[in-house]
Amino acid sequence: MTRYKRSANISKCAILHASSPVIRRGFNLSLDKVKQAAKLTIGTKQAMKLVELGEATEVFIAKDADPRITIKMVNLCKKMGVKVTYVESMNMLGKACGIEVGAAMAAVVNE
C-alpha cells in the first residue's frame, strides 16, 4: 500500500491520490529522463559499479526501495558528485526502464 503525504501547496484537507496531476507532473518529468536516456543501467549492483567508475551522470532511486541499499548509493553519489533523483515507486521506475518488474534504482550513463 502506497502512502501519500499532504502537499504544502494544496489545501490542508486534500490528500493526494495516484491519479492526481500534482504527483504525476513531478514524477513524469524525472521518468521521462529515464525513458529518453541513450544508455541506462538498471539495478543496484550495476548502478553502484557505474557510479564508482565515474561513468554515471544521474541516478534514479525508488522511494519504496530498501533503505539499507539506497543509503549506500546516496552516500556514494554525494562522494562522487552524481545527481540523485527520487521516483515514487519501484514499479514506476521499472516501467520507465522498459522492464515488467520493479527496479530499486537505475543510472544514466555518460555519453
Side-chain angles (χ1 to χ4, degrees), residues 12-27:
K12 293 180 181 177
C13 299
I15 296 177
L16 302 177
H17 299 286
S19 62
S20 171
V22 174
I23 286 180
R24 291 190 306 154
R25 187 181 323 127
F27 290 109

Side-chain angles (χ1 to χ4, degrees), residues 48 67-78 105:
M48 191 87 68
R68 292 177 293 175
I69 297 169
T70 59
I71 298 271
K72 293 176 186 176
M73 178 57 96
V74 170
N75 289 336
L76 181 61
C77 288
K78 284 181 185 176
M105 58 188 73

